[in-house]
């Protein structure tokens, strides 16, 4: 006899564009396929909430679920979320993002419903500003005592949580992020026509941790046949535009703004991400799915995702430019790394694998 469908509530502070939001969307779609009853609560609607609504997923917007700590708003958001849990007879509450995690776990505890919190990259990890690290660690300590299970997206972040005692002992685990396959994502062979530029793509918001400036600087010295596409938008977009112009790279660096990254990944020969700090970025998984070698900052979470054969971990502009030059000059090495990236994604980072991991966890908490 098959197990009954679960009533699952996902809670996230914002449903705009971002890695955590992408995970929620992928997970909800997989859970719908499995026959579960799924809904989402958020403080701010956005593109992801629109997508979910078109698939018939109920999205409840709680205006008091705001990003900064605000005791009055936090209490109202907890009460409202507690009522949602009660009204819909939720079996398990799955929370995402620091604030959504705190409020969601408090509401679940009030109703005696098990809760899961996924940490989409600890905000207190190495490289983050000191004030952010202290504040976020305090929030995560409190939240970890309210909920049932803390899920990390890689072993490195599990180690951080264990050392800093975030979450309760024996109630921490790892479930890797995953994304679904799409027909155009698996090129049999990426063939670079002789004379064509070597195309590198970076997909990330233009904000201080992402460091588009380092990638642009690397392109400037890697060779005139290296072309870069920066997909995204944000507060530092104008500064990067100015850097590109100052370095005379207008013909070699394009900035299409916020767009579907897939066509740019399919047109590229390599992917680059030189963040100051990251958890397990979804854009790296998208690049691996597309069969692209990954050039990235030498951060534990990225290195763990990419493995020894699918990419190149770099420390500075000099190393990034050297790898770009090497891949442009050696199509065999580039193709080998791309095939290894695709194979690693198939083995470890599919959406169905992620969903199966969470369903097993839900069942163990609800039993």
């Amino acid at each position: 006899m098959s197990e009954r469908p679960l009533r699952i509530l996902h809670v996230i502070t914002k449903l705009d564009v971002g890695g955590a939001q992408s995970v929620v969307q992928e997970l909800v779609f997989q859970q719908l396929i499995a026959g579960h009853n799924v809904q989402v609560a958020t403080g701010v609607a956005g593109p992801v909430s629109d997508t979910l609504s078109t698939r018939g997923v109920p999205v409840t917007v709680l205006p008091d679920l705001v990003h900064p700590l605000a005791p009055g708003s936090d209490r109202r958001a907890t009460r409202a979320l507690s009522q949602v849990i009660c009204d819909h007879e939720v079996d398990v509450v799955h929370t995402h993002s620091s604030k959504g995690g705190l409020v969601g776990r408090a509401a679940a505890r009030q109703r005696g419903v098990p809760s899961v919190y996924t940490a989409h990259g600890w905000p207190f990890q190495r490289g983050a500003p000191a004030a952010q690290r202290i504040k976020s660690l305090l929030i995560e300590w409190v939240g970890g005592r309210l909920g049932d299970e803390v899920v990390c997206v890689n072993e490195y972040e599990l180690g951080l949580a264990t050392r800093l005692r975030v979450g309760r002992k024996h109630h921490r685990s790892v479930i890797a992020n995953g994304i679904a396959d799409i027909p155009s994502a698996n090129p049999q062979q990426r063939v670079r026509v002789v004379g064509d530029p070597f195309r590198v793509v970076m997909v990330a918001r233009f904000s201080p941790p992402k460091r588009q400036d380092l990638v642009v600087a690397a392109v400037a010295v890697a060779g005139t046949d290296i072309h870069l596409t920066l997909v995204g938008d944000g507060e530092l977009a104008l500064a990067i535009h100015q850097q590109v112009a100052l370095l005379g790279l207008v013909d070699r660096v394009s900035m299409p703004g916020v767009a579907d990254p897939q066509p740019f990944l399919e047109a590229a020969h390599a992917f680059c991400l030189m963040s100051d700090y990251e958890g397990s970025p979804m854009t790296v998984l998208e690049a691996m799915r597309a069969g692209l070698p990954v050039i990235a900052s030498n951060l534990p979470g990225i290195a763990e995702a990419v493995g020894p054969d699918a990419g190149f971990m770099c420390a500075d502009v000099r190393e990034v430019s050297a790898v770009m030059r090497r891949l442009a000059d050696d199509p065999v090495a580039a193709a080998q790394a791309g095939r290894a990236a695709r194979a690693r994604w198939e083995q470890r980072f599919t959406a169905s694998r992620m969903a199966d991991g969470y369903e097993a966890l839900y069942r163990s908490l609800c039993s």
Side-chain angles (χ1 to χ4, degrees):
M1 179 174 161
S2 61
E3 295 182 282
R4 71 168 179 85
L6 294 171
R7 294 180 294 273
I8 304 163
L9 173 64
H10 290 274
V11 182
I12 185 167
T13 310
K14 299 179 180 180
L15 276 177
D16 52 4
V17 177
Q21 291 79 7
S22 296
V23 171
V24 170
Q25 179 175 295
E26 291 277 11
L27 194 50
V28 167
F29 288 167
Q30 291 295 314
Q31 290 168 346
L32 291 176
I33 292 170
H36 299 300
N37 184 315
V38 191
Q39 57 184 299
V40 180
T42 186
V44 180
V48 174
S49 56
D50 295 340
T51 301
L52 293 174
S53 295
T54 62
R55 293 285 293 269
V57 178
V59 177
T60 301
V61 178
L62 306 173
D64 287 308
L65 181 52
V66 295
H67 175 67
L69 287 173
S73 294
D74 296 344
R75 284 193 295 271
R76 290 191 295 270
T78 301
R79 286 197 298 269
L81 196 53
S82 176
Q83 192 61 50
V84 171
I85 294 169
C86 179
D87 290 345
H88 296 275
E89 300 180 324
V90 170
D91 293 312
V92 61
V93 176
H94 189 161
T95 67
H96 312 259
S97 68
S98 294
K99 189 57 170 297
L102 188 63
V103 170
R105 284 179 284 184
R109 188 180 181 90
Q110 286 182 2
R111 292 293 178 181
V113 172
S115 64
V116 173
Y117 171 60
T118 297
H120 298 279
W122 291 121
F124 51 75
Q125 63 182 285
R126 176 171 55 90
Q132 173 184 309
R133 295 172 70 179
I134 295 169
K135 179 181 176 181
S136 62
L137 185 54
L138 290 173
I139 292 173
E140 299 297 352
W141 270 338
V142 174
R145 269 69 186 164
L146 293 173
D148 292 285
E149 187 82 10
V150 170
V151 175
C152 302
V153 295
N154 55 51
E155 294 291 343
Y156 170 74
E157 300 219 335
L158 176 62
L160 271 181
T162 301
R163 288 196 299 276
L164 296 174
R165 299 183 180 180
V166 174
R168 294 180 292 126
K169 190 175 182 181
H170 306 308
H171 289 273
R172 309 179 189 102
S173 55
V174 173
I175 298 177
N177 288 339
I179 52 175
D181 203 4
I182 54 179
S184 62
N186 185 14
Q188 294 301 311
Q189 186 176 9
R190 288 186 181 274
V191 179
R192 181 183 171 211
V193 178
V194 175
D196 278 359
F198 184 80
R199 301 191 182 278
V200 180
V201 63
M202 176 175 174
V203 182
R205 68 184 183 274
F206 285 74
S207 63
K210 299 302 182 180
R211 301 309 301 270
Q212 282 90 349
D213 60 315
L214 296 183
V215 183
V216 171
V219 169
V221 297
T224 57
D225 59 337
I226 309 293
H227 285 216
L228 173 65
T229 300
L230 299 172
V231 182
D233 203 357
E235 62 197 273
L236 296 182
L238 178 59
I240 300 301
H241 271 293
Q242 293 171 339
Q243 179 191 17
V244 169
L246 186 64
L247 293 174
L249 299 175
V250 174
D251 294 335
R252 292 171 50 204
V253 178
S254 61
M255 297 173 61
V258 177
D260 177 5
Q262 190 57 35
F264 299 99
L265 293 168
E266 292 170 17
H269 304 105
F271 175 86
C272 189
L273 183 68
M274 285 300 296
S275 302
D276 287 333
Y277 58 93
E278 287 280 3
S280 183
M282 298 296 282
T283 54
V284 168
L285 304 189
E286 291 171 348
M288 293 168 66
R289 179 183 65 183
L292 291 177
V294 174
I295 306 167
S297 41
N298 192 12
L299 298 174
I302 298 179
E304 187 177 322
V306 173
D309 303 317
F312 306 85
M313 301 298 103
C314 301
D316 52 31
V317 170
R318 180 187 59 81
E319 291 185 7
V320 175
S321 63
V323 171
M324 289 180 180
R325 186 70 262 152
R326 173 188 168 190
L327 293 178
D329 291 340
D330 191 345
V332 173
Q336 287 176 341
R339 286 193 295 270
R342 171 71 190 192
R344 191 168 178 86
W345 170 78
E346 290 174 343
Q347 295 163 3
R348 295 169 177 258
F349 302 112
T350 62
S352 59
R353 183 183 179 93
M354 173 180 68
D356 288 347
Y358 278 114
E359 176 155 355
L361 176 57
Y362 296 164
R363 297 284 183 189
S364 69
L365 295 175
C366 293
S367 60

